[in-house]
Amino acid sequence: MLLEAIYHRSTDSYCYAYDDRTVHIRLRTRKGDLESIKAVYGDKYDWAGTGTEKAMRIIASDELFDYWQAELTPPYGRLRYAFQLIDGEQQLWYTEQGFTTHRPQDPLTFFDYPFIWPSEVLAPPAWVREAVFYQIFTERFANGDVSNDPLGVRSWEEDNPGPHDYYGGDLQGVLDNVDYIQSLGVNAVYFTPLFEAHTNHKYDTADYYRIDRHFGDVSLMKKVVEAFHERGIRVVLDAVFNHSGKAFAPFRDVLDKGRASVYWDWFLMHDDQLAAGDRPNYHCFAFEAHMPKLNTANLKVRDYLLGVARYWIEECDIDGWRLDVANEVDHSFWREFRQSVKSLKPDFYILGEIWHDAMPWLRGDQFDAVMNYPVTEAILQFSAGGEIDAPTLSSRISRILVNYPQQVNEAAFNIIGSHDTPRVLTQTGDARKLMLAALLQFTLPGTPCIYYGDEIGMTGGADPDCRKPMIWDEARQDAELLGFYRRLIEWRKTYETLQAGACEFVYAHHRQLVVCRASASERIYIALNDEDTEQAITFAAEPVASYRALGGSGTFRMADSTMTVGLPPFGWIVLVAEPPEGA
Ligand code: CA
């Protein structure tokens, strides 16, 4: 046993309450090192009884490590536990005090999970894991009202947007097309910012209480939300609370009055004198002088932004906020934010934009989920760039999955394209490769979101090229791709196994991959070939079940416990294993 490789801590993804009754514990070991591991546990105040055993199982592996998990249901929600490591003749016990060759007698040395507080269990709203999102960039989705167009709009047919161009898209255009969005099968939409601002992307808010005049007004926004709700579609808006725009009234006041402004402390100034211009002496978003960072530690700013968050829920009945640059805002603000919005609407969804390890925001007191960029990058590096092969992809995804509690993975927001990245079709350069990327996006744990137009084969390089006007002319849409997306959406909503089943990579070699999603009642195998030649791959599969192909261009043959799948160039197949009738 390589003891140096063994890792556990009794917090975060290594020990957490999955729900009101269940605690998951995990242990990391060197890959292939151990035969079996048992969790030894009991109620923390019943020392005599601290000896129940439960076998752990490997839930994921990467290049170096195996990750083991056991699900424990302590009767009183409190727990003491240790690990029994077994490798042939050798047995060791692992407690908070280290390794022993004899079973530890004093449970005080065990790891401790103090108590499950149901109110503190991270529980994303139930609807989120069943959701498929559609992202709308309003300025480019549809122009339903030319009377509110900005001056000098470009023709909808010109597909070379510049960084400062306007096309006239608006909320009436969205309202006119809710039937199209419904026809895709999605059950949630996410809007990039809608509030008064001076750019086409609206990330530089001027007035948080007003719908941008080029998009419509609050009464139209209410109609849009109602139209979506009538169709069973939830609505999530973008909250840009990290920074405002330069035209935000409090910042204008600071520009006017300098240190004398009552809003001086609403921002993060470096000196007592204001220096604006290209190299300002106040904190901004990234390098954008026109996006001054808000001081969310200031109680007045806090009250103001919490008021905004509540206003749009009370006024328009929205279902969630997506929080822009969420990791640069202080935790205590987000804790108050959560209390505030959840008190209005208990199943309200809080989605943070965080590009890196987001565990500190996902402990139950701040966000319900984060945008899953690490998964995005892994899928695109495999499908688009080809920089990584299938084994590396499976290792990368496995590491992400074990890095978070299971409920976090189930609600993670999975994208392969957005207003910030080149179109996925342009990155992959081939609709068949795009389909493989989308197949992964829809079948790995997490909630998928489609960037408007990706479903019909829109192209474009980096921003602003990825923000072309939506193609509404059906003759210019890729009907096959659209049909493919509709099927993915349908599967994702139909099969609970895709929403909450375990995820295992059962085959990963060169550019071929098989993912298995498994629940108590069924298994779904997703096999794909990201190569320009025909491939036959073989992997162990459940022998008792009967199989049917849900879709794809591949063939399959089951013999004993071995599945053989034939996949055409850039082909795929999805197989559902069902127990025999009456089983
Ligand atoms: Ca318009």
Side-chain angles (χ1 to χ4, degrees), residues 139 142-150 153 156 167-173 213-216:
E139 222 282 315
N143 187 355
D145 179 359
V146 293
S147 76
N148 62 16
D149 287 359
V153 288
W156 202 262
Y167 281 82
D170 50 37
L171 287 174
Q172 187 59 49
R213 68 195 68 195
H214 301 306
F215 286 173

Side-chain angles (χ1 to χ4, degrees), residues 479-551:
E480 192 191 338
L481 190 59
L482 181 58
F484 169 77
Y485 264 100
R486 285 195 166 118
R487 277 196 296 164
L488 283 186
I489 295 163
E490 190 55 38
W491 295 343
R492 168 74 210 187
K493 289 193 302 176
T494 308
Y495 291 95
E496 216 190 309
T497 304
L498 292 179
Q499 298 162 9
C503 175
E504 193 191 340
F505 292 89
V506 295
Y507 182 95
H509 204 60
H510 296 305
R511 307 207 60 76
Q512 288 74 40
L513 187 74
V514 182
V515 180
C516 177
R517 300 295 309 274
S519 62
S521 60
E522 82 191 342
R523 278 164 184 270
I524 299 178
Y525 291 91
I526 302 102
L528 57 90
N529 169 27
D530 184 62
E531 210 162 355
D532 204 5
T533 53
E534 207 166 301
Q535 298 287 332
I537 56 181
T538 300
F539 55 92
E542 192 92 332
V544 290
S546 69
Y547 284 86
R548 70 189 166 86
L550 206 52

Side-chain angles (χ1 to χ4, degrees), residues 88-100:
E89 296 292 289
Q90 199 187 1
Q91 288 200 21
L92 283 179
W93 279 264
Y94 178 42
T95 68
E96 199 168 61
Q97 295 187 353
F99 297 93
T100 54

Side-chain angles (χ1 to χ4, degrees), residues 105-120:
Q105 295 304 312
D106 179 4
L108 267 180
T109 65
F110 281 32
F111 292 101
D112 181 54
Y113 183 87
F115 196 67
I116 301 176
W117 285 102
S119 59
E120 292 186 353

Side-chain angles (χ1 to χ4, degrees), residues 96-239:
E96 199 168 61
Q97 295 187 353
F99 297 93
T100 54
T101 49
H102 293 89
R103 190 187 193 100
Q105 295 304 312
D106 179 4
L108 267 180
T109 65
F110 281 32
F111 292 101
D112 181 54
Y113 183 87
F115 196 67
I116 301 176
W117 285 102
S119 59
E120 292 186 353
V121 175
L122 173 64
W127 62 268
V128 171
R129 75 178 188 197
E130 295 160 21
V132 180
F133 275 86
Y134 190 72
Q135 181 188 344
I136 301 171
F137 189 85
T138 305
E139 222 282 315
R140 303 293 152 79
F141 187 62
N143 187 355
D145 179 359
V146 293
S147 76
N148 62 16
D149 287 359
L151 282 176
V153 288
R154 297 190 58 189
S155 157
W156 202 262
E157 308 310 319
E158 292 173 353
D159 66 352
N160 57 342
H164 307 297
D165 292 346
Y166 287 89
Y167 281 82
D170 50 37
L171 287 174
Q172 187 59 49
V174 175
L175 191 59
D176 295 344
N177 290 290
V178 284
D179 288 339
Y180 170 75
I181 294 168
Q182 183 186 23
S183 79
L184 297 173
V186 300
N187 48 17
V189 290
Y190 149 50
F191 283 94
T192 50
L194 298 175
F195 309 135
E196 185 74 31
H198 295 175
T199 55
N200 51 32
H201 54 69
K202 313 294 177 198
Y203 277 96
D204 57 328
T205 318
D207 187 343
Y208 288 89
Y209 280 99
R210 191 169 157 164
I211 296 287
D212 190 272
R213 68 195 68 195
H214 301 306
F215 286 173
D217 58 22
V218 64
S219 69
L220 181 56
M221 186 60 204
K222 280 183 199 172
K223 279 189 208 156
V224 169
V225 177
E226 274 167 28
F228 280 124
H229 282 178
E230 278 166 16
R231 290 161 177 79
I233 297 170
R234 312 253 179 178
V235 178
V236 171
L237 300 192
D238 215 317

